[in-house]
Amino acid sequence: MASLLVTGGAGFIGANFVHYWLGQHPDDTLVVLDALTYAGNRSSLAGLEDHANFTFVHGNICNTDTVIALLQQHRVDTIVHFAAESHVDRSIQGPDTFIRTNITGTHSLLKAARQVWIEAPALQQKAPQPHRFHHVSTDEVFGSLTPDQPAFTEDTPYAPNSPYSASKAAADHLVRSYHQTYGLTTTVSRCSNNYGPYHYPEKLIPLTLTNILHNKAIPVFGDGQQIRDWLYVLDHVRAIEAILTQGKAGETWNIGARCEMTNLQLIHKLCRIMDHMFATRPQVRQQFAQATAAHAGRSASLIRYVQDRPGHDRRYAIDSTKIEQELGFVAVEPFDAGIAKTVDWFLDNERWWRAAVSPPTS
């Protein structure tokens, strides 16, 4: 039985990981540490409060003493590090928070792990405690691809183009250094764009969906021809499970679904899906009567082109060959099936996303 500390476990990917892990590994202890900033949502963990092996802690990864206490109290042997500021637009407007959370916060975790798992046993003339520190990174550390360049591999040079991706690249290097210098058992994964349940509504897919339901404009940056590789969040979670259970220390893996499309193609696809939902589901028309599609209009009429963001990467694409060959992981959720599940989840969880975009005032 393992004991896991999951940072950022109330965020999008973290919450999906927590639900999945407790379902697949019910005897493991799982502690979530989350600062509950704007994208952290305690309600994403609803239903877990009564699980005997689940603990939620409202705290900040930058507080090293808190992390040390949790590692000791719960005899944690595995850290799965999701906690991060992750929205590129926000990093352009205010990079300081990204530097603090993504770099200083990651270093805080590494220091705590080293102290508890390596230094404390050494003082007692014991071998290091068996452990694993897994860092969840992003394909954005590699920068941008042209349309004809091959997909990112684990050996692609780093070339971050935003404060967000630069902060994640720095965190990757810190994790590697703690493995090389101190012998910490670390692994790193870099994923492509995720989608699925619990996705914070400022990101492209949930923003498009909720704007259609609110009858608001759907913004398209620049010409909308930016290309992204889309990965269903539960496929990502299964990949992390494979790394934790089979992955060799010190290694990195890219996780993608080989599902590239332009932002504009994606938005038009979502508009068609939503139009079909309104045409075939009377309850949806009743629930979201203000939507254009509720009155036989076209959701695509809400599309508005806006000024492109500075340093907007043109294309991301992931080569997942290494994780497929070494760990036997393959993304199994076809995009059409995954996006249908995602749309259904947002339609069924209006209270969750409305609270996320309009938190109650005190």
Side-chain angles (χ1 to χ4, degrees):
M1 294 182 292
S3 180
L4 286 71
L5 174 66
V6 181
T7 71
F12 166 41
I13 305 174
N16 278 281
F17 176 88
V18 170
H19 284 284
Y20 175 87
W21 196 271
L22 286 174
Q24 297 295 314
H25 308 272
D27 293 330
D28 286 354
T29 297
L30 198 152
V31 181
V32 168
L33 175 63
D34 200 296
L36 295 180
T37 55
Y38 75 96
N41 193 333
R42 182 70 186 272
S43 66
S44 297
L45 301 172
L48 300 178
E49 295 85 353
D50 296 330
H51 195 292
N53 295 336
F54 172 77
T55 302
F56 178 84
V57 177
H58 183 193
N60 197 306
I61 60 173
C62 293
N63 189 327
T64 309
D65 289 341
T66 295
V67 179
I68 289 173
L70 291 175
L71 296 180
Q72 293 173 333
Q73 177 184 350
H74 297 277
R75 298 184 179 181
V76 170
D77 53 45
T78 303
I79 293 175
V80 188
H81 178 32
F82 292 100
E85 297 287 342
S86 64
H87 194 51
V88 174
D89 288 349
R90 289 177 181 264
S91 80
I92 294 170
Q93 297 162 5
D96 288 2
T97 301
F98 287 71
I99 303 305
R100 180 168 57 253
T101 299
N102 298 353
I103 301 178
T104 304
T106 299
H107 190 223
S108 170
L109 292 170
L110 289 165
K111 289 191 297 181
R114 178 192 172 202
Q115 178 173 324
V116 174
W117 291 339
I118 296 176
E119 292 182 335
L123 290 175
Q124 301 177 41
Q125 297 184 329
K126 295 180 180 178
Q129 176 184 335
H131 63 270
R132 171 67 61 97
F133 185 110
H134 182 70
H135 174 58
V136 180
S137 188
T138 172
D139 58 359
E140 296 190 42
V141 299
F142 298 127
S144 184
L145 293 168
T146 61
D148 58 347
Q149 282 183 302
F152 300 131
T153 71
E154 287 76 10
D155 297 323
T156 300
Y158 280 39
N161 290 322
S162 70
Y164 161 61
S165 55
S167 68
K168 292 295 288 187
D172 290 5
H173 292 315
L174 282 170
V175 174
R176 182 182 188 279
S177 75
Y178 265 67
H179 173 71
Q180 296 291 335
T181 302
Y182 303 115
L184 200 69
T185 302
T186 66
T187 45
V188 175
S189 59
R190 307 184 193 95
C191 68
S192 58
N193 283 38
N194 281 215
Y195 68 98
Y198 305 112
H199 204 173
Y200 189 72
E202 73 182 350
K203 298 300 182 76
L204 178 58
I205 288 178
L207 177 67
T208 300
L209 294 177
T210 55
N211 278 18
I212 289 171
L213 297 174
H214 280 132
N215 202 38
K216 292 183 177 180
I218 303 169
V220 176
F221 282 121
D223 60 6
Q225 296 304 306
Q226 303 86 1
I227 297 172
R228 301 294 182 259
D229 179 4
W230 291 97
L231 173 70
Y232 190 58
V233 65
L234 291 181
D235 274 334
H236 184 192
V237 166
R238 290 192 309 103
I240 294 174
E241 179 185 39
I243 293 170
L244 292 176
T245 56
Q246 305 173 55
K248 180 181 177 182
E251 291 291 316
T252 63
W253 289 270
N254 288 352
I255 307 168
R258 294 187 173 89
C259 179
E260 293 183 57
M261 69 183 77
T262 68
N263 287 348
L264 191 58
Q265 287 173 326
L266 173 61
I267 289 171
H268 275 290
K269 181 184 283 286
L270 292 172
C271 287
R272 290 192 297 271
I273 292 171
M274 295 305 292
D275 288 349
H276 179 73
M277 290 287 186
F278 277 100
T280 58
R281 298 187 184 182
Q283 70 273 23
V284 175
R285 292 197 299 272
Q286 181 179 2
Q287 185 178 358
F288 302 100
Q290 74 273 26
T292 294
H295 308 283
R298 295 176 61 251
S299 297
S301 66
L302 298 171
I303 292 174
R304 301 289 185 273
Y305 290 87
V306 300
Q307 182 176 356
D308 206 355
R309 72 158 67 112
H312 199 172
D313 292 332
R314 196 64 172 172
R315 174 177 170 243
Y316 305 140
I318 283 283
D319 183 339
S320 300
T321 300
K322 179 179 178 180
I323 195 169
E324 291 168 357
Q325 293 182 346
E326 292 188 0
L327 305 184
F329 167 81
V330 178
V332 297
E333 192 70 51
F335 183 80
D336 286 348
I339 201 64
K341 292 178 181 178
T342 301
V343 170
D344 282 339
W345 188 89
F346 273 87
L347 290 174
D348 292 340
N349 290 273
E350 179 184 3
R351 179 178 296 181
W352 182 92
W353 55 260
R354 283 196 183 276
V357 296
S358 301
T361 56
S362 57

